[in-house]
Amino acid sequence: MTDVDYCVVGGGFAGLTAARRLKQAGRTVAVLEARDRLGGRTFTENRTDGSWIDRGGAWIGPGQERIRALMQDYGVASYKQYTDGEAMMLVEGKQYRYTGTIPWSMSPWVAMNLGAALLDLGHLCKSIPLDAPWTAEQADRWDRLTLAHWLNTHVVSKAAHELLETAIAGAYTSAASEVSLLFALYQMASGGGPGFVLGIEDGAQDSRPVGGMGAIYCPMAAELGESVLLARPVRRIQQDAEGVTVFSGKTTVRARRVIVAVPLAIASQIRYEPILPVDRSLLHQRMPSGAIVKISAVYDEPFWRADGLSGQSAAPGSPATITIDACTDTGRPGVLCVIVEGPIARQIGRLDPAERRRTILDALAERFGDKARAPADYIEQNWTAERYSGGGMLSHAPTGVLTQFGPALRAPCGRIHWAGTESSAVMCGWVDGAVRSGERAADEVLEHDIVTASATGAPGPRPAAG
């Protein structure tokens, strides 16, 4: 048995941040990661030519100060997302090219519907208390409605409806009919509103770290050293009056407290003794992840740039729903990232690999020409099939969940504390939110022990640095 001050379950950004903060506070820590790699729902593949592929979360934007603070600590620079040239929309069999956020080249009716809906959503987001969205004045009503209901009653244009459902519900890797309107408003509000969520320049896809997300999480792990243990899926957490015992297949850890920093669906697979409070236990059952497949088509060069295209495209219902230029800061090789989410991701997941590849490349060729059919490499990451991710980049709340169980998102359960991007009131759903949640959870356990030490007269840990 390994004895430490604190145990952290999960080696993604939330878990690594919490462990780093605890170590900076002078405490001993063990990080148990189920996979044979770190990064959680981020995953950087370094290639022999010096380039890299981010197979999971990849982008950073304005207002994401905590991930940027880590980048500064480790000397990781950022570079702007490529946006020169025209983006593309394919709706109802027609192709539209445009610049900016709204495709004004479509009919004025469609463009006006898009603009009005985004303004309405932005206004609603401003009424959401980020620390407790379930207390919003209209919370009960909005939590009874789905995002699909709101779109059906507020967006008249079919084309505008399809584009908005793809753009907004796609973030939850689920159909709009599966997502509570209150949750959608809260998640968008946590990032500053729909303009940030859907935006490229000055939005959620504004920039990328040079070297990918691995350039941040790898030095974090190196700083933690032997405290990080891979291939240690946690099966059981047992707490008592003096501490917790965390059981994995190979290692048992005894600690004062434990921070569980894994997706909600994965947290539900751990056996807790004694059983968790009812609200937290039911929350695990009621916030699922969705389906997402991320594909990187690698070419010798970004040929679409020479054709006056940015690489950004959206086609509701297509097997290649969204594309974006995913080249490194050098621009070589050319990488087109394809993101397929929700019901379409489930559909293409049923195809055999060869048929799926052919279907994706055919869709790219329709937009970018025949050169797109012959990538030098084709890298596919089906997060839906990841055992220790449980699906999409963000667990979502269906109707009724936030108002009933929302207060259990961050509340400790005895000596068990919770981290993960879903528990962050700011930048919920982004890597920055994961970092914030890890910082909060680390400060939380330290504060608990400071209070306990003060009450008993025993020496307690010093506050976390930073």
Side-chain angles (χ1 to χ4, degrees):
M1 180 180 292
T2 301
D3 287 313
V4 293
D5 292 320
Y6 303 109
C7 182
V8 176
V9 179
F13 269 95
L16 291 175
T17 298
R20 178 176 183 257
R21 202 167 182 87
L22 293 170
K23 184 174 182 180
Q24 288 174 340
R27 316 317 293 168
T28 56
V29 62
V31 179
L32 302 180
E33 166 55 48
R35 299 177 177 89
D36 59 1
R37 65 168 183 84
L38 295 170
R41 287 175 279 189
T42 66
F43 178 14
T44 301
E45 177 183 321
N46 293 304
R47 297 164 55 81
T48 56
D49 61 2
S51 65
W52 70 87
I53 300 291
D54 269 321
R55 299 170 72 140
W59 283 271
I60 54 177
Q64 297 187 342
E65 291 93 355
R66 301 319 301 156
I67 184 67
R68 289 186 180 276
L70 283 175
M71 292 169 64
Q72 185 174 4
D73 286 349
Y74 295 115
V76 179
S78 65
Y79 67 102
K80 285 282 192 177
Q81 171 63 36
Y82 184 83
T83 57
D84 291 350
E86 294 179 314
M88 220 183 292
M89 290 279 189
L90 287 85
V91 183
E92 297 179 330
K94 296 182 180 179
Q95 185 182 107
Y96 304 90
R97 296 190 178 193
Y98 66 100
T99 57
T101 303
I102 295 178
W104 296 106
S105 58
M106 300 176 75
S107 75
W109 172 243
V110 174
M112 287 175 61
N113 264 244
L114 283 171
L118 291 173
L119 284 173
D120 286 348
L121 287 169
H123 177 72
L124 296 178
C125 285
K126 291 177 181 177
S127 69
I128 302 292
L130 296 184
D131 286 328
W134 44 89
T135 66
E137 184 177 348
Q138 297 291 321
D140 287 341
R141 176 172 172 269
W142 290 339
D143 208 26
R144 289 195 299 268
L145 303 176
T146 62
L147 175 60
H149 176 88
W150 190 91
L151 291 172
N152 289 337
T153 55
H154 288 77
V155 185
V156 180
S157 161
K158 180 182 177 183
H161 185 289
E162 289 181 349
L163 289 170
L164 282 170
E165 177 159 358
T166 297
I168 299 173
Y172 316 124
T173 59
S174 301
S177 58
E178 300 175 76
V179 180
S180 157
L181 174 60
L182 177 64
F183 177 81
L185 293 174
Y186 158 61
Q187 192 273 330
M188 287 189 285
S190 79
F196 177 84
V197 175
L198 306 181
I200 302 292
E201 190 171 2
D202 294 326
Q205 289 82 41
D206 179 81
S207 307
R208 295 182 66 191
V210 175
M213 287 294 173
I216 311 169
Y217 67 71
C218 285
M220 293 176 76
E223 186 176 341
L224 291 165
E226 294 181 357
S227 300
V228 178
L229 302 173
L230 299 180
R232 299 314 201 270
V234 170
R235 305 301 187 194
R236 179 161 59 103
I237 297 175
Q238 180 178 313
Q239 59 176 317
D240 53 52
E242 284 74 41
V244 293
T245 307
V246 182
F247 300 88
S248 78
K250 299 178 181 178
T251 304
T252 300
V253 176
R254 180 66 179 174
R256 295 179 185 177
R257 295 179 179 274
V258 61
I259 295 172
V260 178
V262 299
L264 287 160
I266 303 305
S268 69
Q269 298 174 15
I270 299 172
R271 179 180 171 184
Y272 301 91
E273 298 176 353
I275 193 170
L276 295 176
V278 171
D279 282 2
R280 180 71 201 194
S281 183
L282 292 177
L283 181 72
H284 287 173
Q285 300 175 25
R286 283 162 167 75
M287 282 192 69
S289 299
I292 179 170
V293 180
K294 187 174 182 181
I295 296 154
S296 298
V298 183
Y299 304 89
D300 292 336
E301 60 181 7
F303 61 86
W304 53 91
R305 295 183 181 183
D307 294 336
L309 297 172
S310 68
Q312 180 187 348
S313 70
S318 165
T321 316
I322 295 170
T323 70
I324 190 168
D325 184 309
C327 297
T328 71
D329 55 313
T330 67
R332 297 291 188 279
V335 183
L336 264 181
C337 174
V338 181
I339 302 173
V340 193
E341 299 156 324
I344 304 298
R346 299 200 304 271
Q347 290 174 23
I348 69 165
R350 300 185 192 112
L351 304 176
D352 69 70
E355 185 179 0
R356 184 164 54 248
R357 173 178 170 141
R358 183 170 59 253
T359 300
I360 294 293
L361 295 180
D362 283 348
L364 293 183
E366 181 184 357
R367 281 167 240 183
F368 301 104
D370 284 339
K371 290 180 182 178
R373 294 186 195 276
D377 201 359
Y378 178 92
I379 300 164
E380 185 177 282
Q381 184 74 23
N382 185 352
W383 288 97
T384 322
E386 275 265 332
R387 173 175 292 180
Y388 297 114
S389 291
M393 301 293 100
L394 171 67
S395 299
H396 68 271
T399 54
V401 173
L402 273 187
T403 49
Q404 291 295 315
F405 306 103
L409 264 173
R410 292 184 287 274
C413 299
R415 293 178 178 270
I416 302 174
H417 300 254
W418 310 100
T421 189
E422 290 86 356
S423 70
S424 180
V426 178
M427 296 296 169
C428 173
W430 289 278
V431 176
D432 184 78
V435 173
R436 290 171 188 268
S437 77
E439 292 176 339
R440 171 193 51 76
D443 291 347
E444 206 172 76
V445 300
L446 290 170
E447 180 62 27
H448 270 275
D449 281 349
I450 289 171
V451 171
T452 300
S454 175
T456 62
R462 66 177 182 269

Short mmCIF file of all heavy atoms in Angstrom, two decimals, residues 137-159:
data_model
loop_
_atom_site.label_atom_id
_atom_site.label_comp_id
_atom_site.label_asym_id
_atom_site.label_seq_id
_atom_site.Cartn_x
_atom_site.Cartn_y
_atom_site.Cartn_z
N GLU A 137 -33.73 32.95 -12.79
CA GLU A 137 -35.15 33.25 -12.64
C GLU A 137 -36.03 32.32 -13.46
O GLU A 137 -37.10 31.90 -13.01
CB GLU A 137 -35.41 34.71 -13.04
CG GLU A 137 -36.84 35.15 -12.81
CD GLU A 137 -37.06 36.63 -13.15
OE1 GLU A 137 -36.04 37.34 -13.33
OE2 GLU A 137 -38.22 37.05 -13.21
N GLN A 138 -35.58 31.97 -14.66
CA GLN A 138 -36.35 31.08 -15.54
C GLN A 138 -35.83 29.65 -15.52
O GLN A 138 -36.14 28.87 -16.43
CB GLN A 138 -36.31 31.62 -16.97
CG GLN A 138 -36.95 32.99 -17.15
CD GLN A 138 -38.46 32.93 -16.99
OE1 GLN A 138 -39.11 31.99 -17.42
NE2 GLN A 138 -39.03 33.94 -16.34
N ALA A 139 -35.05 29.29 -14.52
CA ALA A 139 -34.37 28.00 -14.52
C ALA A 139 -35.35 26.82 -14.64
O ALA A 139 -35.14 25.91 -15.45
CB ALA A 139 -33.52 27.84 -13.27
N ASP A 140 -36.40 26.83 -13.86
CA ASP A 140 -37.33 25.70 -13.89
C ASP A 140 -37.95 25.53 -15.27
O ASP A 140 -38.08 24.40 -15.78
CB ASP A 140 -38.44 25.89 -12.84
CG ASP A 140 -37.94 25.68 -11.42
OD1 ASP A 140 -36.88 25.05 -11.26
OD2 ASP A 140 -38.61 26.15 -10.47
N ARG A 141 -38.35 26.63 -15.86
CA ARG A 141 -38.97 26.57 -17.19
C ARG A 141 -37.96 26.10 -18.24
O ARG A 141 -38.25 25.21 -19.04
CB ARG A 141 -39.53 27.93 -17.56
CG ARG A 141 -40.11 28.00 -18.96
CD ARG A 141 -40.83 29.32 -19.21
NE ARG A 141 -41.22 29.45 -20.60
CZ ARG A 141 -40.47 30.01 -21.54
NH1 ARG A 141 -39.29 30.54 -21.22
NH2 ARG A 141 -40.90 30.08 -22.79
N TRP A 142 -36.77 26.72 -18.24
CA TRP A 142 -35.78 26.37 -19.25
C TRP A 142 -35.28 24.95 -19.09
O TRP A 142 -34.92 24.30 -20.07
CB TRP A 142 -34.60 27.35 -19.19
CG TRP A 142 -34.95 28.73 -19.66
CD1 TRP A 142 -35.98 29.08 -20.47
CD2 TRP A 142 -34.27 29.94 -19.35
NE1 TRP A 142 -35.99 30.45 -20.69
CE2 TRP A 142 -34.95 31.00 -20.00
CE3 TRP A 142 -33.15 30.24 -18.56
CZ2 TRP A 142 -34.53 32.32 -19.91
CZ3 TRP A 142 -32.73 31.57 -18.46
CH2 TRP A 142 -33.41 32.60 -19.13
N ASP A 143 -35.29 24.43 -17.86
CA ASP A 143 -34.80 23.07 -17.65
C ASP A 143 -35.84 22.03 -18.04
O ASP A 143 -35.54 20.84 -18.11
CB ASP A 143 -34.38 22.88 -16.19
CG ASP A 143 -33.29 21.83 -16.03
OD1 ASP A 143 -32.53 21.62 -17.01
OD2 ASP A 143 -33.18 21.24 -14.95
N ARG A 144 -37.06 22.48 -18.27
CA ARG A 144 -38.10 21.55 -18.77
C ARG A 144 -38.08 21.47 -20.30
O ARG A 144 -38.71 20.59 -20.87
CB ARG A 144 -39.49 22.00 -18.31
CG ARG A 144 -39.74 21.80 -16.82
CD ARG A 144 -41.23 21.90 -16.49
NE ARG A 144 -41.77 23.22 -16.82
CZ ARG A 144 -41.83 24.24 -15.96
NH1 ARG A 144 -41.38 24.09 -14.73
NH2 ARG A 144 -42.35 25.40 -16.33
N LEU A 145 -37.39 22.43 -20.94
CA LEU A 145 -37.36 22.50 -22.39
C LEU A 145 -36.03 21.98 -22.93
O LEU A 145 -34.99 22.11 -22.28
CB LEU A 145 -37.54 23.95 -22.85
CG LEU A 145 -38.80 24.67 -22.38
CD1 LEU A 145 -38.77 26.13 -22.85
CD2 LEU A 145 -40.05 23.97 -22.90
N THR A 146 -36.07 21.42 -24.12
CA THR A 146 -34.83 21.01 -24.76
C THR A 146 -34.31 22.14 -25.66
O THR A 146 -35.06 23.06 -26.04
CB THR A 146 -35.02 19.77 -25.64
OG1 THR A 146 -35.95 20.09 -26.69
CG2 THR A 146 -35.55 18.60 -24.82
N LEU A 147 -33.04 22.06 -26.00
CA LEU A 147 -32.48 22.98 -26.98
C LEU A 147 -33.24 22.87 -28.30
O LEU A 147 -33.49 23.87 -28.98
CB LEU A 147 -31.00 22.68 -27.17
CG LEU A 147 -30.26 23.47 -28.25
CD1 LEU A 147 -30.31 24.97 -27.97
CD2 LEU A 147 -28.82 22.99 -28.37
N ALA A 148 -33.65 21.66 -28.66
CA ALA A 148 -34.41 21.46 -29.90
C ALA A 148 -35.72 22.23 -29.87
O ALA A 148 -36.13 22.83 -30.88
CB ALA A 148 -34.66 19.98 -30.11
N HIS A 149 -36.40 22.23 -28.73
CA HIS A 149 -37.66 22.96 -28.61
C HIS A 149 -37.43 24.45 -28.86
O HIS A 149 -38.22 25.09 -29.59
CB HIS A 149 -38.27 22.75 -27.23
CG HIS A 149 -39.52 23.55 -26.99
ND1 HIS A 149 -40.77 23.07 -27.32
CD2 HIS A 149 -39.71 24.80 -26.48
CE1 HIS A 149 -41.68 23.99 -27.02
NE2 HIS A 149 -41.07 25.05 -26.50
N TRP A 150 -36.38 25.00 -28.27
CA TRP A 150 -36.11 26.42 -28.47
C TRP A 150 -35.83 26.73 -29.94
O TRP A 150 -36.35 27.69 -30.49
CB TRP A 150 -34.93 26.86 -27.60
CG TRP A 150 -34.76 28.36 -27.59
CD1 TRP A 150 -35.32 29.24 -26.71
CD2 TRP A 150 -34.01 29.15 -28.53
NE1 TRP A 150 -34.96 30.52 -27.04
CE2 TRP A 150 -34.16 30.50 -28.15
CE3 TRP A 150 -33.24 28.85 -29.65
CZ2 TRP A 150 -33.55 31.56 -28.85
CZ3 TRP A 150 -32.64 29.90 -30.35
CH2 TRP A 150 -32.80 31.23 -29.95
N LEU A 151 -35.03 25.89 -30.58
CA LEU A 151 -34.73 26.11 -32.00
C LEU A 151 -35.99 25.99 -32.84
O LEU A 151 -36.22 26.79 -33.77
CB LEU A 151 -33.69 25.09 -32.47
CG LEU A 151 -32.27 25.26 -31.89
CD1 LEU A 151 -31.40 24.07 -32.28
CD2 LEU A 151 -31.63 26.56 -32.36
N ASN A 152 -36.83 25.03 -32.51
CA ASN A 152 -38.06 24.83 -33.30
C ASN A 152 -39.01 26.02 -33.19
O ASN A 152 -39.76 26.31 -34.14
CB ASN A 152 -38.78 23.56 -32.82
CG ASN A 152 -38.06 22.30 -33.22
OD1 ASN A 152 -37.27 22.29 -34.16
ND2 ASN A 152 -38.31 21.22 -32.49
N THR A 153 -39.00 26.69 -32.05
CA THR A 153 -39.96 27.78 -31.84
C THR A 153 -39.37 29.16 -32.10
O THR A 153 -40.12 30.14 -32.12
CB THR A 153 -40.49 27.73 -30.39
OG1 THR A 153 -39.39 27.75 -29.47
CG2 THR A 153 -41.33 26.49 -30.16
N HIS A 154 -38.06 29.25 -32.31
CA HIS A 154 -37.44 30.56 -32.49
C HIS A 154 -36.69 30.72 -33.82
O HIS A 154 -36.32 31.85 -34.16
CB HIS A 154 -36.45 30.85 -31.35
CG HIS A 154 -37.11 31.12 -30.04
ND1 HIS A 154 -37.64 30.13 -29.25
CD2 HIS A 154 -37.34 32.30 -29.39
CE1 HIS A 154 -38.16 30.67 -28.16
NE2 HIS A 154 -38.01 31.97 -28.22
N VAL A 155 -36.50 29.65 -34.54
CA VAL A 155 -35.76 29.74 -35.81
C VAL A 155 -36.66 29.21 -36.92
O VAL A 155 -36.89 28.01 -37.02
CB VAL A 155 -34.44 28.96 -35.75
CG1 VAL A 155 -33.64 29.17 -37.03
CG2 VAL A 155 -33.61 29.38 -34.53
N VAL A 156 -37.17 30.12 -37.74
CA VAL A 156 -38.15 29.74 -38.75
C VAL A 156 -37.50 29.11 -39.97
O VAL A 156 -37.99 28.13 -40.53
CB VAL A 156 -38.98 30.98 -39.19
CG1 VAL A 156 -40.00 30.61 -40.25
CG2 VAL A 156 -39.66 31.59 -37.97
N SER A 157 -36.36 29.67 -40.39
CA SER A 157 -35.67 29.15 -41.57
C SER A 157 -35.12 27.75 -41.32
O SER A 157 -34.41 27.52 -40.34
CB SER A 157 -34.52 30.09 -41.96
OG SER A 157 -33.59 29.44 -42.79
N LYS A 158 -35.45 26.81 -42.19
CA LYS A 158 -34.96 25.44 -42.03
C LYS A 158 -33.44 25.39 -42.11
O LYS A 158 -32.78 24.69 -41.33
CB LYS A 158 -35.57 24.55 -43.11
CG LYS A 158 -35.10 23.10 -43.03
CD LYS A 158 -35.70 22.25 -44.15
CE LYS A 158 -35.15 20.82 -44.09
NZ LYS A 158 -35.67 20.00 -45.22
N ALA A 159 -32.87 26.14 -43.06
CA ALA A 159 -31.41 26.13 -43.22
C ALA A 159 -30.73 26.71 -41.99
O ALA A 159 -29.74 26.16 -41.49
CB ALA A 159 -31.02 26.93 -44.46
#
